[in-house]
Amino acid sequence: MLQPNSNHARDVAYMLHPYTNAQAHCEAGPLIIKRGEGVNVFDDQGKSYIEAMAGLWSVAVGFGEERLVEAATAQLKELPYYHTFSHKSNEPAINLAERLVQMTPDRLSKVFFTNSGSEANDTVIKLLWYYNNAIGKPQRKKFIARKRGYHGITIGAGSLTGLPVNQACFDLPLPGFLHTTCPHYYREGKPGESESDFVLRLEHELEALIASEGADTIAGFIGEPLMAAGGVVPPPFGYWAMVQKVCRNHGIMLIADEVITGFGRLGTMFGSNFYDIDPDVMVLSKQLTSSYQPLAAVLISNELFAPIATQTAEIGVLGHGFTGSGHPVATAVALENLKIIEERSLVENCAALAPRLQEGLRVFADDPLVGEVRGEGLIAAVELVADKEARAPFDPAGRAGRILNQHAHDNGLIIRAIGDTIAFCPPLIATQGDIDAILERFGKSLDQTREDLGR
């Protein structure tokens, strides 16, 4: 029972929550997180939880990092806000743009700042439309994404996203946004089909889609190097080499959505490094500031920039931007966050800890509830199934995931149930002890879930 005038009751009375069953929330109320420290967060009752999802895949340096607080405070005192419209700029934004160009693949040369990954991907759509109009190819307006891919929830980004829950009842996707098969061998591979044959089939499917739509109508192909919100799906070997070959052959711009994989998540600075992707566009957010401030960045190649710049001269202005584009406080925090990642060797820490997480979770692979354990670096998933041999999902979908998620909360572990797939994405500052504690609490929660389901 929610107590009148409590924070819980007022939350229910006044807030509409994202990614939440609004009707169920009226009964259950919120879990109110009061503070954070390292890999742990604490609710308003003082209970501690290991935050094994780094918030929303994003708090690389952990909670309560004083250096980021100090960076924000110092910038707030000097210049709390200024815009980057009409030839205006600020030093933190300039420094961060330079840093990002220096650390990303050589093809990328210019940075456009937004407040979120969704805004960034909407910006990518608009810039590629603008670019193709500028070079006299106005018919190149379509985008290819993947089923189960996640690229945000604004109208354009939500059309790129390939998850039904993000499109149902929103009248999405818009026309011109195409979706090809998710590269999940466990779920999408055919009986007797090898992984290499699976990749070859996806290549034929992609080529057929391009042929049917017309290669000269397609502006870009977008993908997360490793799918995250769609259930943590590492692509099979050879997949990205295939995609790049097809895109280059047809003059289709390749967009790497690194909102989650950027800044060390896979044990390399970017997912593009891990999978040897050479994108024309890269989208960054989340671990860019460890989510201490809202910030995202779009990096584009000079091939894209030059015609866009020429077109702005003809029109008189680039008619796109946000009040907070290149916000001095957000960019100052990002710069300090990147310093911490480098100074504390957090990318290397991720690579060193990855086997402990990945192999530790694979211990549960023989459990009757577990269909597949998958992941790379410090991002992983355990998919629960109703029938292990048949790989049959639960009916209704999501029930087992909800049960396990609640047991995990009770056991002081915050994970994420993506339907019946349990996702893990601990902060990059995690230690061996933290990983062991995550595994122990997950194992206990899995046992309790099995008992609840009568297995």
Side-chain angles (χ1 to χ4, degrees):
M1 178 70 69
L2 300 179
Q3 297 299 315
N5 300 318
S6 69
N7 285 338
H8 296 72
R10 292 189 301 116
D11 175 283
V12 169
Y14 299 118
M15 288 183 66
L16 174 63
H17 284 254
Y19 260 88
T20 302
N21 180 327
Q23 186 168 300
H25 188 71
C26 292
E27 297 295 326
L31 171 66
I32 298 178
I33 301 301
K34 187 75 171 177
R35 65 184 183 91
E37 181 180 337
V39 301
N40 299 292
V41 294
F42 302 81
D43 68 19
D44 57 352
Q45 305 303 306
K47 181 177 177 177
S48 67
Y49 305 80
I50 299 175
E51 227 307 353
M53 279 300 298
L56 282 176
W57 325 85
S58 57
V59 186
V61 303
F63 298 86
E65 175 50 64
E66 285 297 325
R67 283 176 58 178
L68 298 190
V69 176
E70 292 165 4
T73 302
Q75 188 58 49
L76 282 164
K77 289 179 179 178
E78 182 176 8
L79 180 68
Y81 166 72
Y82 211 71
H83 62 84
T84 54
F85 284 31
S86 60
H87 307 286
K88 307 298 191 300
S89 195
N90 64 79
E91 190 172 3
I94 296 168
N95 290 342
L96 182 59
E98 180 182 36
R99 181 83 174 92
L100 293 176
V101 169
Q102 290 174 344
M103 68 193 303
T104 52
D106 291 343
R107 185 187 295 267
L108 306 174
S109 63
K110 288 290 188 295
V111 180
F112 188 96
F113 289 115
T114 72
N115 305 292
S116 70
S118 294
E119 291 176 351
N121 280 325
D122 268 24
T123 294
V124 171
I125 294 166
K126 291 181 71 177
L127 288 180
L128 262 64
W129 285 347
Y130 196 94
Y131 162 81
N132 281 307
N133 288 333
I135 64 173
K137 296 182 178 180
Q139 75 279 6
R140 275 196 185 265
K141 295 295 166 62
K142 299 173 186 175
F143 285 84
I144 298 175
R146 285 95 55 82
K147 296 172 184 176
R148 291 173 59 187
Y150 184 81
H151 303 290
I153 44 70
T154 46
I155 292 174
S159 294
L160 293 172
T161 289
L163 293 166
V165 71
N166 297 119
Q167 297 174 339
C169 222
F170 288 115
D171 294 343
L172 297 178
L174 297 176
F177 291 87
L178 316 169
H179 294 85
T180 190
T181 298
C182 170
H184 188 188
Y185 178 64
Y186 175 78
R187 279 291 169 209
E188 302 296 338
K190 294 181 178 180
E193 185 177 49
S194 67
E195 282 201 24
S196 59
D197 287 340
F198 176 56
V199 172
L200 184 60
R201 176 162 61 86
L202 294 189
E203 179 178 2
H204 292 160
E205 179 184 302
L206 181 57
E207 289 280 14
L209 176 62
I210 292 169
S212 67
E213 296 290 334
D216 62 351
T217 71
I218 299 171
F221 179 105
I222 187 169
E224 306 150 272
L226 178 150
M227 282 186 176
V232 182
V233 180
F237 178 78
Y239 174 80
W240 275 112
M242 174 274 289
V243 169
Q244 288 188 102
K245 178 187 70 174
V246 172
C247 288
R248 301 285 187 242
N249 286 346
H250 294 291
I252 296 169
M253 293 291 178
L254 182 60
I255 306 147
D257 185 336
E258 297 254 16
V259 166
I260 289 175
T261 54
F263 307 106
R265 178 52 56 188
L266 302 183
T268 54
M269 185 58 74
F270 300 103
S272 292
N273 303 132
F274 191 89
Y275 291 111
D276 197 23
I277 305 169
D278 183 23
D280 300 287
V281 180
M282 183 181 283
V283 180
L284 302 169
S285 191
K286 292 190 183 287
Q287 293 196 155
L288 174 58
T289 66
S290 285
S291 287
Y292 278 52
Q293 286 282 288
L295 181 66
V298 176
L299 283 90
I300 63 174
S301 65
N302 200 58
E303 179 186 355
L304 276 165
F305 172 74
I308 289 172
T310 300
Q311 188 72 359
T312 66
E314 293 186 16
I315 295 173
V317 67
L318 176 66
H320 178 75
F322 304 93
T323 302
S325 293
H327 195 290
V329 179
T331 49
V333 169
L335 285 163
E336 190 65 19
N337 179 68
L338 295 182
K339 286 181 184 177
I340 293 171
I341 289 174
E342 181 179 4
E343 290 170 11
R344 298 181 186 169
S345 301
L346 295 187
V347 179
E348 294 79 4
N349 186 58
C350 175
L353 281 182
R356 203 174 191 98
L357 177 65
Q358 301 296 339
E359 293 168 14
L361 287 173
R362 280 165 177 76
V363 169
F364 302 106
D366 292 333
D367 189 283
L369 285 184
V370 175
E372 185 185 36
V373 180
R374 53 184 180 264
E376 297 285 359
L378 286 183
I379 183 169
V382 176
E383 183 169 340
L384 307 178
V385 292
D387 186 318
K388 196 177 185 75
E389 290 301 317
R391 302 184 180 184
F394 282 92
D395 186 13
R399 176 170 174 260
R402 286 191 296 272
I403 292 171
L404 197 151
N405 187 63
Q406 185 57 58
H407 282 306
H409 272 201
D410 294 343
N411 294 324
L413 178 67
I414 294 178
I415 41 84
R416 185 172 181 183
I418 304 171
D420 291 312
T421 294
I422 307 303
F424 302 81
C425 185
L428 298 187
I429 61 164
T431 65
Q432 291 184 3
D434 295 327
I435 299 300
D436 291 344
I438 290 169
L439 295 170
E440 186 274 329
R441 296 182 193 189
F442 171 71
K444 180 179 179 181
S445 304
L446 182 63
D447 289 342
Q448 292 168 323
T449 302
R450 192 187 318 104
E451 292 174 8
D452 286 351
L453 294 173
R455 299 301 176 87

